Amino acid sequence: MIPLTTDMIADTSNVYDAIKAIEKQRLLFPAFEEAYRRIIRIHKMALAGNRPRHLMILGPSGAGKSSVLEEYVHYFPATEETEFRRIPVLHVEIKSSPTVRSVAEDILKAMGVPMAYRGTVNEKTDRVITSLQKLKVELLMLDEVQHLLGANKRSFGSNNETEWLKTLLNQIEIPVVLAGLPYGQALLSTNEQLRRRLDGVHHLTPFSVEDEDSAADFAGVVSWFDSEIHGGTPIGLHDGDMLYRLFYATNGLIGYLSKLLIGAMEIRLENGKKAVENWMLEESFRQNLWAEGVGALNPFHKKFVRRQLNKANELFAPTAFSAMATSAT
């Protein structure tokens, strides 16, 4: 085994600086911009004194939901004012298998409330409400809301967590963005008041290559990454059948496309090459997306047959839970 040295780490610093610079950027594709505008709408309406409206943003993993929320929060950072801390936009991720206690605790932690773990459920709920008011929170964002439906339940009807959310929304009187996987829409069937006060559901769907217009949209996204990973001089990554190979490798999901192409860029820089080559994409797919994606199961292998990787045990295979949840929406 070759010992790790500080020289070896220093040798790769430029590579990772280049990767970091790209990862910090946001590609504002149309669906992303529309979601952003809709958040602005409910935020401004509430600030203008209108009754709070809520928004639901849904999409599969890798479609860009969390990126939309993170980008919006970036423009409304917490500030330390003379007598108190102000948090204009609060972003909270709901963990898997939540309880009412854990959700309330996570909201308190996100606000920096000390000893968030203390108290009964009712006491925590009261602290959530008073803290949102004290810290002047104007907009609440709850990410991964599908977890409220319960991964271990046989059905997706009302439960303690969804009932608690309904009560909370009634009391805080600020707009809320609910983001999650597509079956998170089942929340609407458990909460009539949420449905009434919803400003709509925005779907972030994967890119497609089914028709010329869809393929052109996907090619535009690939071209942006192509330019970024090649220092502003794209090499035509979407030419020939490569656009379709990139689609099947990522299922049209921008999060997967980003991992794949930035991973290929890393391999290119580490090998001192000027342009990403096919073998780099093949290796990046295996390293960054699917370890089992080798040979004919790798979209960049010569034996790959053009098809989606959605069969049993493949990268984009639907799970039994997602199928059950989708049927409930």
Side-chain angles (χ1 to χ4, degrees), residues 5 9 52 126:
T5 68
I9 296 174
D126 289 341

Side-chain angles (χ1 to χ4, degrees), residues 29 60-64 204-209 214 217-218 221-222 243-258 260 289 308-309 315-316:
F29 56 94
S61 178
L204 284 169
T205 57
F207 288 93
S208 172
V209 291
S214 298
D217 288 341
F218 187 52
V221 173
V222 173
L243 184 70
Y244 295 91
R245 291 180 183 272
L246 289 167
F247 172 75
Y248 292 120
T250 63
N251 219 28
L253 294 163
I254 194 164
Y256 284 83
L257 183 67
S258 177
L260 174 71
L289 299 188
Q308 288 185 278
L309 297 169
L315 179 58
F316 300 110

Side-chain angles (χ1 to χ4, degrees), residues 275-289:
V276 166
E277 300 173 11
N278 191 79
W279 70 268
M280 299 175 191
L281 291 166
E282 184 176 350
E283 183 63 13
S284 179
F285 179 79
R286 187 188 65 79
Q287 286 184 10
N288 299 298
L289 299 188

Side-chain angles (χ1 to χ4, degrees), residues 38-279:
R38 294 185 72 169
I39 297 173
I40 292 173
R41 169 186 163 84
I42 64 169
H43 191 179
K44 284 188 173 181
M45 287 186 72
L47 291 177
N50 293 282
R51 187 175 184 183
R53 289 166 172 79
H54 310 307
L55 174 67
M56 184 171 272
I57 301 176
L58 302 174
S61 178
K65 302 179 302 299
S66 295
S67 294
V68 171
L69 305 191
E70 290 166 5
E71 184 72 7
Y72 197 82
V73 171
H74 174 73
Y75 285 98
F76 296 92
T79 57
E80 299 293 340
E81 301 192 357
T82 306
E83 297 181 356
F84 61 89
R85 187 167 186 247
R86 185 169 180 268
I87 306 177
V89 178
L90 183 68
H91 180 200
V92 182
E93 181 177 328
I94 297 174
K95 298 181 177 64
S96 60
S97 302
T99 63
V100 172
R101 179 183 294 273
S102 70
V103 176
E105 189 172 310
D106 287 340
I107 296 175
L108 291 170
K109 287 179 180 177
M111 290 186 284
V113 176
M115 295 181 287
Y117 59 90
R118 287 192 175 181
T120 65
V121 168
N122 288 338
E123 289 170 342
K124 285 178 184 287
T125 303
D126 289 341
R127 291 175 74 196
V128 167
I129 296 168
T130 57
S131 296
L132 288 170
Q133 295 171 345
K134 180 180 178 180
L135 298 173
K136 306 294 183 183
V137 176
E138 302 167 356
L139 176 71
L140 174 62
M141 294 176 163
L142 298 178
D143 203 359
E144 305 294 352
V145 293
Q146 76 280 353
H147 289 154
L148 292 172
L149 294 167
N152 299 317
K153 295 180 173 62
R154 292 181 178 274
S155 65
F156 293 86
S158 179
N159 57 37
N160 291 338
E161 290 72 44
T162 59
E163 286 299 309
W164 181 84
L165 175 63
K166 176 171 65 176
T167 301
L168 181 70
L169 295 186
N170 288 341
Q171 294 181 298
I172 60 177
E173 285 299 312
I174 60 173
V176 178
V177 177
L178 304 169
L181 297 180
Y183 64 84
Q185 192 161 350
L187 277 170
L188 300 182
S189 65
T190 72
N191 193 330
E192 182 180 351
Q193 183 165 12
L194 174 59
R195 290 200 305 273
R196 290 201 310 267
R197 292 175 62 178
L198 199 68
D199 199 52
V201 179
H202 182 72
H203 294 274
L204 284 169
T205 57
F207 288 93
S208 172
V209 291
E210 289 184 358
D211 54 65
E212 288 187 8
D213 289 341
S214 298
D217 288 341
F218 187 52
V221 173
V222 173
S223 293
W224 183 87
F225 278 105
D226 188 0
S227 178
E228 292 298 316
I229 67 176
H230 289 106
T233 307
I235 65 169
L237 264 183
H238 62 280
D239 292 343
D241 71 343
M242 188 57 71
L243 184 70
Y244 295 91
R245 291 180 183 272
L246 289 167
F247 172 75
Y248 292 120
T250 63
N251 219 28
L253 294 163
I254 194 164
Y256 284 83
L257 183 67
S258 177
K259 287 183 181 180
L260 174 71
L261 295 182
I262 292 178
M265 171 192 172
E266 180 180 352
I267 295 171
R268 173 180 76 81
L269 294 174
E270 288 177 343
N271 284 271
K273 300 291 186 178
K274 292 184 177 180
V276 166
E277 300 173 11
N278 191 79
W279 70 268

